[in-house]
Amino acid sequence: MAADATTTGEQPSYHRLSAAGLRDLAHGEGDGAVMAELLRAERSRRLLLLRALRGGVLGDGVGPDGVDFFAQGWDLLERAQCHAPEACEELLMSPNTGMWVSLAVRRVRGRVYEDAPHWVVLGHLAALAAAAAARAGMDFDIAVPVRRGRVQLPTLGCAALTDREPWGAARVTGRDGRVRITGAGGEVAVPAGPDRRDRDWTPVRRMTLGTGSRAKPLVLEELDPYRTFPRPSGPSPLPPAEAAYWESSLAAAWDVLLRDEPGTAEAMRRGLISVAPTPARERFRPHSSTAGDAFGGVTASRPDDVAQLAATLVHEFQHTKLGGLMHLEPLTGPPADPEEPETLFYAPWRDDPRPLGGLLQGIYAFLGVTRFWRAHRHTADPAYVSLAHFEFALWRGQVWATLTAVHGHERLTPLGRYVVERLTERCAAWLTDEVPATPLRLAQEAAADHHARWRAHHLRPPAEAVEESVRAWRQGAPRPPAALAAEPLLVPDAEAGFSDSTAVLARYHLSEPDGPWQRPGAVDGAETAEVRLILGEHTEARDAFIARLSDKEAPVSAWPGLGRSLAAEPARRAAADLLLQHPERARAVQDAIAVATGRRADPVRLAAWLGA
């Protein structure tokens, strides 16, 4: 377990979850009391990291003119702690502080995550100290780093100077409660009310979700460099209209969570601290992230709608909870042979293969997503109900399949086995929930297509078996050699992408059946033939896939697509099953035939032969 920064006599005290807290987290749940336990442990972890950083710096915080930014920051922070412990506590527990101190410790140990000089990274402590002193109303004077003309005062705001150099220094002074920032590019007076915007000062944007006892304070984080992971980024203030969209969307999503996920909402009141907006993505392909080092922080792309945002918050908060648990005790142990590459797994929510630890994170997150859609499908607007049923059916099946794949894995620790078993129990209880026929069918098709695409991209049949199969094909043998059915090799394909195309098209079909998404190229990565499939036009889709697979530049996804189109023809069931279950065989043998003969085989004949 992670040790606390405090000691009693000679014995360190340790953070341990209560039995009830561990049980709730293992089931994918956790209320405000559990979050309080995790936050106490996280606080100690950050104090330990700060102590480790101080012990490892040894003068590395010295910047221009011999200023030791780190040492001065440490001294001022200690003073501020005495004057205003609450302000220092908020700074300490900010997700951005957690990200910074973790990256700074890694920097001292030789791992670089940004192009800033060493003294700028370590000197961020001086910016934290200046913010703490300013909030405490102290008189102070300290040098802080300047990043591309910007001076950050974490939890307060950002000053814009006209410094031309990418890295520099400025002085932050506090006198009689007024704060000034002075650098080579001029001077900025922080407004008396730091929440006020000025020409050269942008305050941290704070908002409150809900009212009364259910109100939730939240930071809409646009400024701090350590709001993004794993690499810092410059400030990105939201235009007024965009800020208003985010504020209204978050408020509405909070209302949805209070109604449909009251337990999660209660936990979020304690554990969700900030949301960092990022630009909009393609519809139905939002991007969001969290980092274990940035407990309580979420980055999220502009949401398409309120329900999507609510699901995103649930997803990322699941990561936050599991990350907090894993800081106390690991779920996986080391591989049996450290010299061997780590085993990778199929993850139904990713294009790429994932290690066991990453897979567990995905399982935990999507179990929460499944739980959200399970409830929301009964309260959603009528136009959204079919889509909500689809999301529930899709993720229920994907989580169940992945739990089954990792159940009892030898690298799971006792805690890991306990968590997997409890999550399995939870998901099993949802398998009998009824879902309308159309959303259920589309969810099953999307899941099968994603898995088939993954296999086609990342699995390779044994080379000798492929060569033998080509010879058998050319000689007119009635079936391929048995060796082709041997366990394929996993060879990650960096070109894999858009594995979610069928799911995205299904969402369009359910939400706007006559929309412009049917036009060629309207959905990134989706072939016209895939659109025909979603619309039930199997013959047209089959012919289009055959034409694509006759081309040497045929996309890998065309093999599973052809399998789905052939599934509607009973006489070609063997070919369809082969392409949906083992498309990597068709891809490998077709490529080898083309190399050997200069021509590509008829894909339907080849699939039927391989499936014989």
Side-chain angles (χ1 to χ4, degrees):
M1 293 291 185
D4 198 342
T6 61
T7 60
T8 303
E10 296 182 357
Q11 296 297 319
S13 61
Y14 292 88
H15 290 282
R16 298 182 186 279
L17 278 172
S18 64
L22 179 58
R23 182 184 63 248
D24 287 350
L25 286 174
H27 280 91
E29 303 293 339
D31 58 12
V34 175
M35 294 313 301
E37 294 182 59
L38 293 179
L39 283 165
R40 283 194 294 270
E42 185 63 23
R43 179 181 185 276
S44 290
R45 181 176 182 272
R46 292 188 187 179
L47 290 173
L48 287 170
L49 286 171
L50 282 169
R51 186 180 293 269
L53 186 59
R54 188 186 190 193
V57 168
L58 299 176
D60 284 348
V62 177
D65 302 322
V67 176
D68 192 331
F69 291 84
F70 187 88
Q72 290 189 8
W74 191 278
D75 292 342
L76 180 57
L77 201 55
E78 286 187 331
R79 289 174 50 207
Q81 171 69 23
C82 296
H83 281 78
E86 289 185 3
C88 289
E89 195 70 16
E90 183 180 344
L91 274 161
L92 175 66
M93 297 310 295
S94 165
N96 311 321
T97 300
M99 196 73 227
W100 164 73
V101 70
S102 299
L103 293 182
V105 169
R106 295 187 181 104
R107 178 73 173 245
V108 169
R109 296 178 177 178
R111 295 174 63 184
V112 178
Y113 287 85
E114 57 177 311
D115 60 352
H118 209 60
W119 63 268
V120 170
V121 175
L122 299 178
H124 188 71
L125 184 71
L128 288 165
R135 296 182 61 170
M138 297 168 52
D139 287 352
F140 67 96
D141 184 347
I142 189 171
V144 300
V146 180
R147 292 170 169 264
R148 294 181 169 86
R150 299 291 188 271
V151 175
Q152 301 287 339
L153 295 185
T155 73
L156 285 178
C158 175
L161 302 176
T162 56
D163 295 33
R164 296 184 179 181
E165 297 297 323
W167 319 109
R171 298 207 72 82
V172 183
T173 58
R175 293 289 182 272
D176 302 323
R178 303 303 300 271
V179 177
R180 290 185 178 276
I181 302 168
T182 308
E187 182 177 274
V188 174
V190 177
D195 290 344
R196 286 178 47 200
R197 290 178 178 264
D198 208 341
R199 184 185 65 177
D200 299 321
W201 173 257
T202 305
V204 168
R205 192 184 299 272
R206 298 175 183 274
M207 58 182 298
T208 300
L209 307 177
T211 59
S213 61
R214 307 176 89 184
K216 161 67 189 164
L218 187 71
V219 173
L220 195 56
E221 183 59 78
E222 315 154 83
L223 307 174
D224 197 292
Y226 294 99
R227 73 190 184 281
T228 54
F229 352 100
R231 291 173 177 79
S233 58
S236 183
L238 296 171
E242 188 69 4
Y245 178 84
W246 271 99
E247 289 173 353
S248 63
S249 296
L250 284 164
W254 183 246
D255 289 340
V256 168
L257 292 174
L258 287 173
R259 181 191 66 201
D260 297 343
E261 282 272 298
T264 296
E266 177 58 29
M268 284 183 183
R269 289 185 67 244
R270 296 292 302 270
L272 178 63
I273 299 171
S274 66
V275 173
T278 61
R281 307 266 291 211
E282 184 182 8
R283 190 177 179 201
F284 295 126
R285 282 180 170 141
H287 180 266
S288 60
S289 63
T290 53
D293 294 326
F295 190 101
V298 171
T299 66
S301 59
R302 190 183 200 271
D304 297 334
D305 53 60
V306 169
Q308 183 192 84
L309 179 56
T312 294
L313 293 177
V314 171
H315 176 123
E316 297 303 339
F317 197 66
Q318 290 288 106
H319 283 309
T320 294
K321 293 189 297 186
L322 191 63
L325 176 60
M326 292 170 67
H327 280 166
L328 292 171
E329 189 170 335
L331 302 185
T332 62
D337 185 353
E339 301 299 321
E340 289 293 319
E342 186 168 6
T343 302
L344 299 177
F345 297 82
Y346 168 62
W349 34 81
R350 300 274 300 214
D351 292 323
D352 56 333
R354 298 292 288 159
L356 180 59
L359 193 65
L360 294 176
Q361 279 281 1
I363 289 171
Y364 200 81
F366 279 97
L367 181 122
V369 170
T370 306
R371 184 187 63 222
F372 168 77
W373 289 114
R374 180 174 185 256
H376 186 66
R377 64 200 179 117
H378 298 301
T379 62
D381 292 337
Y384 211 101
V385 168
S386 291
L387 184 56
H389 278 300
F390 168 82
E391 300 290 0
F392 168 66
L394 175 65
W395 299 121
R396 173 184 64 178
Q398 300 291 49
V399 170
W400 176 255
T402 313
L403 280 166
T404 302
V406 302
H407 196 276
H409 194 279
E410 61 182 10
R411 283 189 54 209
L412 291 172
T413 63
L415 176 61
R417 287 195 295 274
Y418 177 70
V419 169
V420 168
E421 289 166 1
R422 299 292 79 76
L423 296 179
T424 300
E425 289 175 358
R426 190 76 194 283
C427 191
W430 300 339
L431 296 179
T432 56
D433 286 5
E434 291 188 4
V435 177
T438 297
L440 180 61
R441 173 182 59 79
L442 290 173
Q444 291 169 341
E445 289 182 10
D449 185 72
H450 190 285
H451 191 207
R453 289 186 192 221
W454 188 91
R455 292 187 65 96
H457 273 288
H458 302 295
L459 298 185
R460 300 288 183 273
E464 292 182 359
V466 172
E467 293 176 4
E468 188 179 348
S469 298
V470 172
R471 289 194 296 270
W473 169 263
R474 298 181 69 184
Q475 293 167 3
R479 60 183 57 84
L484 193 64
E487 187 71 20
L489 301 176
L490 195 156
V491 183
D493 180 359
E495 299 300 317
F498 300 114
S499 303
D500 63 344
S501 291
T502 297
V504 170
L505 291 172
R507 293 178 178 112
Y508 274 113
H509 183 54
L510 290 169
S511 59
E512 47 177 301
D514 299 319
W517 58 273
Q518 298 182 27
R519 294 198 301 258
V523 177
D524 286 350
E527 295 275 318
T528 301
E530 295 176 61
V531 176
R532 303 273 73 80
L533 266 181
I534 285 291
L535 296 175
E537 300 170 3
H538 292 85
T539 301
E540 295 84 348
R542 179 201 63 201
D543 293 344
F545 280 123
I546 290 173
R548 290 293 276 134
L549 287 166
S550 299
D551 184 348
K552 64 179 181 180
E553 302 297 331
V556 174
S557 61
W559 288 109
L562 177 60
R564 289 171 57 210
S565 67
L566 294 176
E569 304 177 41
R572 289 171 166 166
R573 190 71 212 186
D577 288 346
L578 182 282
L579 292 178
L580 288 173
Q581 296 172 21
H582 302 287
E584 71 278 5
R585 298 179 190 172
R587 179 192 180 190
V589 174
Q590 175 74 297
D591 289 348
I593 289 173
V595 170
T597 67
R599 300 187 306 276
R600 301 180 71 80
D602 176 272
V604 177
R605 281 188 57 227
L606 178 62
W609 181 74
L610 291 170

